[in-house]
Amino acid sequence: MLMPLPHPTQPAYQVVDPATGELVESFPYATDAEVGEILATSRSAYLDWRDRALAERTDLIRRAGARLLDRAHELAETMRLEMGKPAAEGVEEIEYCASIFDYYVDEGRGLLADEELPTRGEGRAIVQHRPIGPLLGVMPWNYPCYQVARFVVPNLVLGNTVIIKHAESVPRTARALEQVMLDAGLPHGAYLNVFATHEQVETIIADPRVQGVSLTGSERAGSVVAAAAGRHLKKCVLELGGSDPFIVLDSADVPAMADLAWQTRIHNNGQACNSNKRMIVMDEIYDEFVAALVAKAEAVEDTAHPPLASRAAAEHLAAQVDDAIAKGARLLAGGVLAQDGSARYTPAVLVGVTEGMRAYHEELFGPVAVVYRVLHDDHAVELANSSAYGLGGAVFSTDPGRARRVAERLEIGMANVNTSSGDGPELPFGGVKRSGFGRELGPGGMSEFVNKRLVYTAANPHA
């Protein structure tokens, strides 16, 4: 489970160091009066922000991206403390965020340009791209800056204002991002953070001033938010879990391919929606591939490997792996849960997973490489598509045409050929099936919460 909404028994948003289990700091939930003030401020700011020239909006947003980059090391340390991300990966995340700011600033005018449509009559039809109002973003803890940037930046460029309800485990990051926007000169209310409760999230969605909601998180959180959005006829974008296949049809260098698969799997300690959670390997190279993975796992220094984001997350992952082992799967390396109360779980290699096991159906959100043996291309496609998820996936072969043919048969939102993923702010991100709906990044990131207003002008207007 990636990101549940706040549990009613939790007293506050909390910073808990996953390396020790120590409570560092607590932040109280917002009061209902504070939520009301945030809603009013966001709406008031929208009426000003939407009418500013695009050049003015993009200038301020470019400055915000620069301020964010200036604070990369500080934010990386905050993320390390709150959810265990290694500092180098934290800096890398901020640098990627900065590229998102640059992309929408540079491409915003073209993405928002009026579109003329051919008409059957003599009139002229223009489609304009206009903002719709304040939006709510419900954000996760695993990429606490990147996930926010990909939702916020295109919408601010468009002219919407945003209210961010961040994960309850990363409150320092949440506050820092709001301060970055203010320091860059964005008007108060264009970007607002709220430490909302579960009930207050539903209140915000229900408020007529709010025009849409985007959530990145668990299926459970997604179903709750989507139900609320549906009741109140609000546009909703969901990016939920994933169990992405990593299909290796053949390889000229099996150890190198296994190394790529391993590095992809343990990036962010395996806590990525589009991580390669199912490695599907052709029979002829399966044994060599698995042996190389086991060597990688055994080489990990347990005390140096970062913790998962929380003790609860580590225990949840351990329970999934234990269930598989109890039902006949084989743990070839790792899979040890720390006994000191920390969130450490040693990177693991698991084989022999079958349909009766939780690990077959559920998302494993942590450093566990699950490897499946397949006999032919159709077998690989069938196994890949057997998941309820449909976020992304990758197919590898020395024959690019073969890899492409397999990739095009996958029921996923992002198919990658001979690369673990296609990354870039210009590329759309999103999935199908239980991985959610809608897209972020690329042109699609600016077309979800937009009024595509038709302006039709008659050729011969009546007097």
Side-chain angles (χ1 to χ4, degrees):
M1 180 180 296
L2 174 61
M3 187 215 68
L5 293 174
H7 193 278
T9 60
Q10 181 173 309
Y13 282 58
Q14 297 179 337
V15 179
V16 177
D17 187 345
T20 64
E22 175 190 1
L23 174 61
V24 178
E25 187 176 11
S26 295
F27 296 79
Y29 289 129
T31 66
D32 290 345
E34 288 170 335
V35 170
E37 182 179 348
I38 283 171
L39 286 164
T41 302
S42 184
R43 172 63 182 178
S44 177
Y46 167 69
L47 297 177
D48 165 59
W49 186 245
R50 70 177 182 183
D51 290 333
R52 296 198 185 196
L54 177 60
E56 182 180 359
R57 292 200 300 266
T58 55
D59 180 62
L60 290 170
I61 293 165
R62 188 187 296 277
R63 288 168 59 184
R67 291 295 177 93
L68 184 69
L69 196 56
D70 288 342
R71 297 183 64 178
H73 291 278
E74 173 192 343
L75 282 162
E77 175 57 26
T78 300
M79 288 188 280
R80 185 208 62 75
L81 176 65
E82 291 186 317
M83 50 76 61
K85 189 188 298 287
E89 291 189 17
V91 171
E92 179 183 281
E93 179 175 337
I94 299 301
E95 290 173 343
Y96 190 39
C97 289
S99 74
I100 294 172
F101 280 77
D102 289 342
Y103 170 76
Y104 283 107
V105 167
D106 293 340
E107 303 298 328
R109 186 168 299 280
L111 294 173
L112 296 177
D114 292 349
E115 299 176 29
E116 184 160 3
L117 302 179
T119 64
R120 295 189 176 187
E122 295 183 356
R124 187 183 183 196
I126 301 291
V127 173
Q128 301 174 325
H129 299 81
R130 295 293 183 265
I132 59 174
L135 307 172
L136 172 65
V138 183
M139 298 288 108
W141 48 258
N142 60 329
Y143 289 96
C145 292
Y146 158 65
Q147 305 279 10
V148 171
R150 72 184 195 185
F151 163 64
V152 163
V153 176
N155 281 298
L156 287 176
V157 170
L158 174 59
N160 294 320
T161 54
V162 293
I163 301 168
I164 299 299
K165 181 263 169 253
H166 222 315
E168 59 269 25
S169 59
V170 291
R172 286 186 178 179
T173 301
R175 284 197 165 179
L177 291 175
E178 183 180 47
Q179 192 61 50
V180 163
M181 298 297 181
L182 291 171
D183 290 345
L186 270 74
H188 177 59
Y191 179 111
L192 291 168
N193 175 68
V194 59
F195 290 149
T197 65
H198 185 167
E199 292 76 14
Q200 288 169 341
V201 168
E202 295 205 38
T203 297
I204 294 169
I205 294 172
D207 192 281
R209 290 166 289 194
V210 172
Q211 298 302 305
V213 55
S214 178
L215 175 139
T216 297
S218 69
E219 292 175 77
R220 183 175 72 84
S223 65
V224 170
V225 166
R231 281 196 302 274
H232 300 287
L233 301 179
K234 304 294 177 70
K235 175 67 182 288
C236 181
V237 169
L238 302 178
E239 194 273 278
L240 308 178
S243 189
D244 289 11
F246 185 100
I247 302 172
V248 185
L249 302 175
D250 58 69
S251 176
D253 189 339
V254 175
M257 181 59 64
D259 181 65
L260 174 63
W262 180 255
Q263 296 304 325
T264 303
R265 186 67 188 98
I266 66 169
H267 188 266
N268 206 41
N269 211 4
Q271 300 167 118
C273 296
N274 62 330
S275 182
N276 52 335
K277 301 185 179 79
R278 294 179 297 149
M279 300 178 192
I280 299 172
V281 183
M282 205 60 66
D283 177 64
E284 304 92 82
I285 59 173
Y286 174 89
D287 291 335
E288 185 180 3
F289 184 93
V290 169
L293 281 183
V294 170
K296 289 290 181 183
E298 291 178 339
V300 173
E301 185 180 345
D302 295 352
T303 57
H305 190 76
L308 289 169
S310 68
R311 178 68 184 186
E315 291 176 352
H316 182 75
L317 181 65
Q320 291 172 307
V321 173
D322 290 346
D323 171 80
I325 295 169
K327 295 174 180 175
R330 291 184 295 135
L331 182 66
L332 303 184
V336 177
L337 176 65
Q339 298 303 306
D340 59 2
S342 73
R344 297 189 187 279
Y345 186 84
T346 59
V349 178
L350 186 66
V351 299
V353 172
T354 58
E355 287 191 54
M357 304 170 186
R358 291 175 59 188
Y360 187 92
H361 302 282
E362 298 178 7
E363 178 181 27
L364 299 186
F365 214 66
V368 179
V370 180
V371 194
Y372 297 86
R373 185 196 301 264
V374 291
L375 303 178
H376 47 74
D377 292 9
D378 289 345
H379 189 189
V381 171
E382 180 183 8
L383 178 57
N385 288 340
S386 68
S387 173
Y389 296 104
L391 190 55
V395 184
F396 294 83
S397 174
T398 55
D399 178 351
R402 179 188 181 193
R404 175 69 179 267
R405 288 190 295 273
V406 169
E408 290 187 349
R409 296 171 63 191
L410 301 181
E411 297 167 354
I412 55 178
M414 300 173 289
N416 302 283
V417 177
N418 284 335
T419 183
S420 54
S421 65
D423 295 318
E426 73 280 7
L427 301 177
F429 190 102
V432 296
K433 301 197 287 187
R434 295 190 70 85
S435 289
F437 45 78
R439 293 295 181 269
E440 293 184 311
L441 299 180
M446 199 174 270
S447 64
E448 293 288 356
F449 298 102
V450 62
N451 175 12
K452 297 182 179 179
R453 184 171 64 191
L454 171 67
V455 178
Y456 184 83
T457 304
N460 298 302
H462 297 288

